[in-house]
Amino acid sequence: MIDLPRKTLFDLPDGVIYLDGNSLGPLPRGAASRAAQVITDEWGRSLIRAWNSAGWMDLPARVGDRIAALIGAQPGSVATGDTLSVKVFQALDAALKMRPDRRVILSDAGNFPSDLYMAQGLARSLGQEHELRTPAPQDVADAITEDVAAVMLTHVDYRTGRLHDMADITARAHAAGAVMIWDLAHSAGAVPLEIGAVAPEFAVGCTYKFLNGGPGSPAFIHVRPDIVEDIAPVLAGWMGHAAPFAMEPGYRPAPATERMRVGTPPVVQLSLLDAALDVWDGVSMEVVRAAALRLSDLFIAEVEARCPDLALASPRDGAARGSQVSFRFPGGYAAIQALIDRGVIGDFRQPDIMRFGITPLYLDADDIRAAAAAIGEVIGSGAWHDPKYQIRARVT
Amino acid sequence: MIDLPRKTLFDLPDGVIYLDGNSLGPLPRGAASRAAQVITDEWGRSLIRAWNSAGWMDLPARVGDRIAALIGAQPGSVATGDTLSVKVFQALDAALKMRPDRRVILSDAGNFPSDLYMAQGLARSLGQEHELRTPAPQDVADAITEDVAAVMLTHVDYRTGRLHDMADITARAHAAGAVMIWDLAHSAGAVPLEIGAVAPEFAVGCTYKFLNGGPGSPAFIHVRPDIVEDIAPVLAGWMGHAAPFAMEPGYRPAPATERMRVGTPPVVQLSLLDAALDVWDGVSMEVVRAAALRLSDLFIAEVEARCPDLALASPRDGAARGSQVSFRFPGGYAAIQALIDRGVIGDFRQPDIMRFGITPLYLDADDIRAAAAAIGEVIGSGAWHDPKYQIRARVT
């Protein structure tokens, strides 16, 4: 087993403490050279032949198996490609078709908006026969009634870091006859997961956060092996066909989870992700989790000692929290800009959330203390009042 | 105006004549360094800040405008991202919603299978109320009846290279009250297009063929500006929201074609594509087309003079042909393998099609003559009978 942090495996800029790996993970050292190899050697030299000679065709499944290992799912149960929003759509359409007599999609008000939007778009396309219910996160468990077709939740709340009890909610969903879909955007690479044992029908996630796959890295979808063969995918693309190069006029789904593939895979981004996953070799997710909780508790204590105006937005109990710590502060947007100016990178979420990702692969206690000191300085000195920090960028 | 070919703009391997740019375009010289810059500098150094500082957020629209220029569409009318199959799905769902009283999707038997599969998947998801009709390509124009909701065709047939008369079919579709969707997979970067003047409601395409964006390069979708504001996208992802970072609970579409964006854009692949599009600077598509026809006619003549057993599968009339030449030959698969072994790279399509892309950006008459000579040698000598050429690879 390997000790943390593993800073040498990342290409981190000098003078930066990076607390935004929950939004975009940093560059793993091997990734750039792998991309160069794929572009210059595989594409450049082998051209079309690389689909076979460089294994491009099987790359999505190989990367899927590596992700399966990180989320506690069995090999062959994870397909990669597309964006997380598209994978949410695939899972939700399949779930609704599994429960044709039910009309409710249950999510929560803390879910990432794109998941809700995709549900709205699907319901609209299907004729508005489905109702999307979004109670408060803490009320979801009791809202799983027998009219619910699908429970669709993000495991870790993107604003507060609040963690749903995945096993309990999944069991309740199944007891009520509902299909369970978990979005692992803020869980994969952050907390130990036992998707195989918990046994939701679907789990989806992105790979550019805690999995460090780079900007726009492809998404993944897990389908429970006992149900996958019954799914007729809505996005019936040729790469999910049983024989893509037979060029048959009719769609026949590929075996198992391969049917959730859609179009031509993004080979360069998938290769970057493949290289990025190397940083997990020999790493125990339990060790990561324990370190994240130690660092998070330290961060909360250090910030609260300095900044009485910041209100903890995340659960104080580490067991109820993912791998991020959020504070509410009315000047949060400007304070985050002032911190970025000082090399401490977190991010801001509407309406007043200062959000900090805690990633023990490349952060240690000294980083956490230095970050907290910078927060104390920015808030205590009033530096965030500087007009230059009030200008909103397009991406916040 | 710049003369063709522009071989120095491509990083082509020695000893190869590449006649498969209609499947995967070769590596443009500037692309590798652009990818390295995005990965090492933008991602590595700027991290999350690069969404603003490196312009990642606007990259899909900037690339879309460059594609718009190549297909004769107006700026702002092309969105990029996802795969072509997903873009077909978006267009078709929107088209069906525009004609709620009609139940027929008209395509043709020569369409690329994934387009047909996506139509089948959408129809299944919507409750099998739609019928997919696929007459022979030459019979489509007369099959546009007043029960047709959407005509969905690929402009250039992927096997034969046969070109649909885009203006005529679009006019007939509109006269019958149908919505027109053109798939430009084998047209963009191959033939002059006037999408704005022809005015189909939708045009979609991929960018890894004649646009040389690399393996898995993102797709594009054009929506006619006068109808786009009425579209409620089925794939209602956050990047197509009017205010993605407001994190509103309800979906509100972004203005114009931006609403066809779905999830987080594949920044690295989009940047590769952006760099690849530099090879078109100063190039007239009419000049490309004229050169492609000269080279294609030469290729047909040279091959037919040597190989009486090969039957031309493409239209003999250049005006009816895209930028590829196909021959039928019972031993086509093995013959293509033997040619690849000799550095002449084409590809094979079921059941007996030997397919050769004619790409004047990096091919000249000497290449065409040498390729024809190699075909003559492989067929004439019987070299393709060698058992090593009979072994089928996964991707053919």
Side-chain angles (χ1 to χ4, degrees):
Chain A
M1 212 47 72
I2 290 161
D3 285 341
L4 299 179
R6 314 187 75 187
K7 291 192 187 202
T8 56
L9 296 186
F10 291 88
D11 190 4
L12 291 158
D14 293 334
V16 161
I17 299 173
Y18 196 57
L19 299 165
D20 212 8
N22 54 320
S23 187
L24 176 68
L27 173 62
R29 275 205 192 279
S33 60
R34 172 69 180 276
Q37 183 216 333
V38 169
I39 295 167
T40 305
D41 295 343
E42 295 177 11
W43 175 20
R45 301 272 78 73
S46 298
L47 295 156
I48 191 70
R49 298 167 291 191
W51 283 104
N52 292 309
S53 65
W56 290 351
M57 195 65 185
D58 300 318
L59 183 59
R62 287 202 310 277
V63 173
D65 281 347
R66 300 187 75 179
I67 293 170
L70 290 171
I71 65 171
Q74 73 178 66
S77 70
V78 172
T80 58
D82 305 299
T83 64
L84 176 52
S85 293
V86 168
K87 283 345 205 182
V88 165
F89 185 85
Q90 288 181 294
L92 188 58
D93 179 85
L96 297 183
K97 300 306 189 285
M98 291 167 69
R99 298 293 182 271
D101 299 331
R102 298 187 177 201
R103 290 286 176 265
V104 176
I105 302 164
L106 179 66
S107 187
D108 72 35
N111 202 349
F112 188 69
S114 203
D115 292 26
L116 303 180
Y117 302 160
M118 296 308 286
Q120 292 162 14
L122 176 60
R124 196 167 44 235
S125 175
L126 296 179
Q128 292 294 20
E129 293 177 350
H130 291 87
E131 175 194 353
L132 174 62
R133 291 184 189 157
T134 56
Q138 64 275 17
D139 298 332
V140 163
D142 291 332
I144 304 173
T145 46
E146 298 208 342
D147 55 351
V148 172
V151 181
M152 177 188 79
L153 295 169
T154 297
H155 184 209
V156 178
D157 187 298
Y158 76 102
R159 277 178 303 202
T160 65
R162 179 185 180 280
L163 199 61
H164 274 301
D165 184 334
M166 184 182 284
D168 176 62
I169 287 179
T170 303
R172 288 182 189 229
H174 289 166
V179 175
M180 186 74 228
I181 302 169
W182 283 107
D183 180 340
L184 307 178
H186 292 266
S187 313
V191 298
L193 294 163
E194 289 296 338
I195 293 298
V198 174
E201 282 81 355
F202 300 95
V204 297
C206 67
T207 60
Y208 45 75
K209 298 178 184 290
F210 293 93
L211 296 180
N212 313 304
S217 186
F220 66 86
I221 184 167
H222 159 85
V223 187
R224 207 173 68 196
D226 65 303
I227 63 155
V228 71
E229 298 283 348
D230 294 326
I231 293 173
V234 55
L235 301 178
W238 71 311
M239 284 291 157
H241 192 280
F245 289 90
M247 305 286 176
E248 300 171 2
Y251 179 75
R252 283 191 298 128
T257 313
E258 284 275 291
R259 72 187 58 197
M260 304 312 268
R261 290 177 64 172
V262 185
T264 302
V267 169
V268 178
Q269 302 255 193
L270 267 170
S271 300
L272 272 171
L273 172 58
D274 193 31
L277 293 174
D278 288 350
V279 301
W280 298 97
D281 288 349
V283 172
S284 150
M285 200 58 76
E286 282 71 23
V287 171
V288 171
R289 175 65 170 161
L293 289 181
R294 273 197 311 275
L295 294 176
S296 298
D297 289 343
L298 174 64
F299 185 67
I300 293 170
E302 294 274 325
V303 171
E304 289 189 330
R306 289 171 170 85
C307 307
D309 292 345
L310 265 56
L312 184 66
S314 299
R316 192 167 295 278
D317 173 14
R321 195 175 61 220
S323 212
Q324 71 178 65
V325 173
S326 300
F327 292 95
R328 292 189 187 282
F329 179 58
Y333 178 80
I336 287 288
Q337 307 318 308
L339 282 167
I340 291 173
D341 226 9
R342 286 155 179 78
V344 176
I345 302 181
D347 65 20
F348 173 79
R349 284 292 175 264
Q350 295 288 351
D352 59 358
I353 297 272
M354 298 173 66
R355 189 171 75 152
F356 303 97
I358 309 296
T359 49
L361 283 182
Y362 49 86
L363 291 173
D364 60 26
D366 288 342
D367 297 320
I368 293 297
R369 286 190 199 94
I375 295 170
E377 185 271 318
V378 160
I379 305 290
S381 70
W384 63 274
H385 286 293
D386 190 316
K388 73 180 171 183
Y389 299 134
Q390 317 294 325
I391 301 158
R392 298 275 171 142
R394 181 153 180 204
V395 179
T396 59
Chain B
M1 212 46 72
I2 291 163
D3 284 340
L4 299 178
R6 313 187 76 188
K7 291 191 188 202
T8 57
L9 297 185
F10 292 87
D11 190 4
L12 291 159
D14 293 333
V16 161
I17 299 174
Y18 196 57
L19 298 166
D20 211 9
N22 54 321
S23 186
L24 175 70
L27 173 62
R29 276 207 191 275
S33 61
R34 172 71 181 274
Q37 184 216 333
V38 169
I39 294 168
T40 304
D41 295 343
E42 295 178 10
W43 175 20
R45 303 270 79 73
S46 298
L47 295 156
I48 192 71
R49 297 168 292 192
W51 283 104
N52 291 309
S53 65
W56 290 351
M57 193 66 184
D58 300 317
L59 182 59
R62 285 202 311 277
V63 173
D65 281 347
R66 301 187 75 179
I67 293 170
L70 291 171
I71 65 171
Q74 74 178 67
S77 71
V78 173
T80 58
D82 305 299
T83 63
L84 175 51
S85 293
V86 167
K87 284 343 204 183
V88 166
F89 184 85
Q90 288 182 293
L92 189 58
D93 179 86
L96 297 184
K97 300 307 189 285
M98 291 167 69
R99 297 294 181 270
D101 298 330
R102 297 187 178 201
R103 290 286 175 268
V104 175
I105 302 164
L106 179 66
S107 187
D108 72 35
N111 203 349
F112 188 68
S114 202
D115 292 25
L116 303 179
Y117 302 161
M118 295 308 286
Q120 293 162 12
L122 175 60
R124 195 165 47 232
S125 175
L126 297 179
Q128 292 294 21
E129 293 177 350
H130 291 87
E131 175 195 352
L132 174 63
R133 290 184 190 157
T134 55
Q138 64 276 18
D139 297 333
V140 162
D142 292 331
I144 304 173
T145 45
E146 299 209 340
D147 53 351
V148 173
V151 181
M152 177 188 80
L153 295 169
T154 297
H155 184 209
V156 178
D157 187 297
Y158 77 103
R159 277 177 303 201
T160 65
R162 180 186 180 279
L163 199 60
H164 275 301
D165 184 334
M166 184 182 283
D168 176 63
I169 288 179
T170 303
R172 289 182 187 227
H174 289 166
V179 176
M180 187 72 229
I181 303 168
W182 283 107
D183 180 339
L184 308 177
H186 293 266
S187 314
V191 298
L193 294 164
E194 289 296 339
I195 293 298
V198 174
E201 283 80 356
F202 300 95
V204 297
C206 66
T207 62
Y208 45 76
K209 297 179 183 290
F210 293 93
L211 296 179
N212 313 304
S217 187
F220 66 87
I221 183 168
H222 159 85
V223 187
R224 208 174 68 197
D226 65 303
I227 63 156
V228 69
E229 298 283 348
D230 294 324
I231 294 174
V234 54
L235 300 179
W238 71 311
M239 286 291 157
H241 192 280
F245 289 91
M247 305 285 176
E248 300 171 3
Y251 179 75
R252 283 191 298 129
T257 313
E258 284 275 291
R259 72 188 57 199
M260 304 312 268
R261 290 177 62 173
V262 185
T264 302
V267 169
V268 178
Q269 302 253 196
L270 268 170
S271 301
L272 272 172
L273 172 57
D274 192 31
L277 293 174
D278 287 350
V279 300
W280 298 97
D281 287 349
V283 172
S284 150
M285 200 58 75
E286 282 70 24
V287 172
V288 170
R289 175 64 170 163
L293 290 182
R294 271 197 311 275
L295 294 176
S296 298
D297 289 343
L298 174 64
F299 185 67
I300 292 170
E302 295 275 324
V303 171
E304 290 189 330
R306 289 172 170 84
C307 307
D309 292 346
L310 265 55
L312 184 65
S314 300
R316 190 168 297 278
D317 173 13
R321 193 175 62 220
S323 212
Q324 72 177 65
V325 173
S326 300
F327 292 95
R328 293 189 188 281
F329 180 58
Y333 178 79
I336 287 289
Q337 307 317 308
L339 282 166
I340 291 173
D341 224 11
R342 286 153 179 78
V344 176
I345 303 181
D347 64 20
F348 173 78
R349 285 291 175 267
Q350 294 289 349
D352 59 358
I353 296 273
M354 296 173 67
R355 190 172 73 153
F356 304 97
I358 308 297
T359 50
L361 284 183
Y362 49 87
L363 291 174
D364 60 24
D366 288 343
D367 296 321
I368 294 297
R369 286 189 198 95
I375 295 169
E377 186 271 317
V378 159
I379 305 290
S381 71
W384 63 274
H385 286 294
D386 190 316
K388 74 180 172 184
Y389 299 134
Q390 317 295 325
I391 301 158
R392 297 276 171 140
R394 181 156 178 202
V395 180
T396 58

